[in-house]
Amino acid sequence: MTNLETYFKKSQPLEEYIDRMKDNRNNLLSIYKSFKLPEEDDRITKLKDANYSKVLVITEDWCGDAMMNLPILKRVSEELNLEVRVFHRDDDTRLIDQYLTNGKSRSIPIFVFMNSAYEQITVWGPRAKEVEKFVVDLRNDKLPDKDHPQYDDKVKETHLLISNRFKTDSSFWKNVYNSIINQLLYK
């Protein structure tokens, strides 16, 4: 396992990462402003007594999933007083290669939750299961075979549909929130 402390310390604080974003900054901030934590959630109270201290986020600015998931993590981390730092996936793929989705894909974002000794407690990402179902179903419905002449256009169209849904569907935001919180509680 890669030394998480080393990666954490050379990563950007979340606020700095957001300030320097070029692709999805406005959309991320819009989701952040629109999403509020539930007023009463006993799970948050339980987590305040848990051993979580830090979160290492592996991502890239262009990632639509990160655009939606990071604002939710930001709200959770503020409530739980977690230090969040962001590592750019493509700067050193040895880190993401420790967290491959389905054992093969460098899917992002990945949230590595740690204690104060930089020991991994749990990992979340890249999507909540409800969001994954939407994306898979949409791709199955919209995308032709890769050798189809309109494949590239259909991919762009599908990505636009996904991105627009991520930016506007508060039920997805709640799915992400519940998924993160449940992962933290039930590892």
Side-chain angles (χ1 to χ4, degrees):
M1 180 62 76
T2 305
N3 185 326
L4 292 174
E5 181 177 3
T6 301
Y7 280 106
F8 190 85
K9 287 181 175 178
K10 69 180 188 179
S11 297
Q12 288 178 296
L14 180 59
E15 291 299 329
E16 181 183 316
Y17 172 78
I18 293 170
D19 287 345
R20 293 183 179 185
M21 289 178 74
K22 293 183 176 32
D23 296 330
N24 280 313
R25 183 175 186 270
N26 290 339
N27 293 324
L28 183 149
L29 290 173
S30 176
I31 294 168
Y32 177 76
K33 288 174 187 165
S34 299
F35 177 77
K36 305 293 183 227
L37 296 181
E39 289 194 25
E40 292 186 32
D41 187 344
D42 292 340
R43 298 173 303 169
I44 290 286
T45 305
K46 290 178 188 173
L47 285 170
K48 286 184 178 182
D49 295 328
N51 199 20
Y52 296 106
S53 170
K54 301 170 183 352
V55 186
L56 179 59
V57 174
I58 307 167
T59 194
E60 290 290 342
D61 182 2
W62 49 259
C63 177
D65 286 292
M67 170 196 69
M68 178 176 66
N69 297 335
L70 274 172
I72 311 308
L73 174 68
K74 183 170 169 32
R75 288 279 182 207
V76 169
S77 67
E78 290 166 349
E79 187 67 24
L80 297 178
N81 197 30
L82 304 176
E83 182 181 1
V84 181
R85 290 184 163 253
V86 178
F87 186 81
H88 296 262
R89 179 193 73 179
D90 298 339
D91 286 354
D92 180 349
T93 55
R94 290 176 295 177
L95 179 60
I96 191 65
D97 287 348
Q98 299 295 318
Y99 301 99
L100 297 176
T101 302
N102 299 322
K104 60 182 180 179
S105 299
R106 291 177 173 160
S107 302
I108 49 177
I110 298 294
F111 302 160
V112 182
F113 292 89
M114 299 176 281
N115 62 22
S116 59
Y118 301 93
E119 297 167 327
Q120 177 181 306
I121 301 172
T122 193
V123 177
W124 184 92
R127 292 187 180 122
K129 66 180 178 184
E130 299 87 351
V131 176
E132 177 68 9
K133 181 180 181 339
F134 162 75
V135 171
V136 168
D137 289 350
L138 185 65
R139 285 181 177 157
N140 287 339
D141 185 46
K142 295 279 186 193
L143 295 181
D145 291 334
K146 288 187 178 186
D147 59 353
H148 191 281
Q150 291 185 322
Y151 178 78
D152 290 340
D153 290 338
K154 292 292 184 182
V155 166
K156 289 176 187 172
E157 179 184 312
T158 302
H159 283 173
L160 184 61
L161 290 169
I162 292 169
S163 178
N164 286 337
R165 185 83 180 265
F166 284 4
K167 290 185 261 187
T168 60
D169 191 337
S170 64
S171 71
F172 277 3
W173 307 344
K174 290 175 188 166
N175 293 144
V176 170
Y177 167 77
N178 284 319
S179 180
I180 291 171
I181 295 300
N182 287 334
Q183 182 66 30
L184 292 175
L185 279 174
Y186 307 117
K187 308 180 222 15

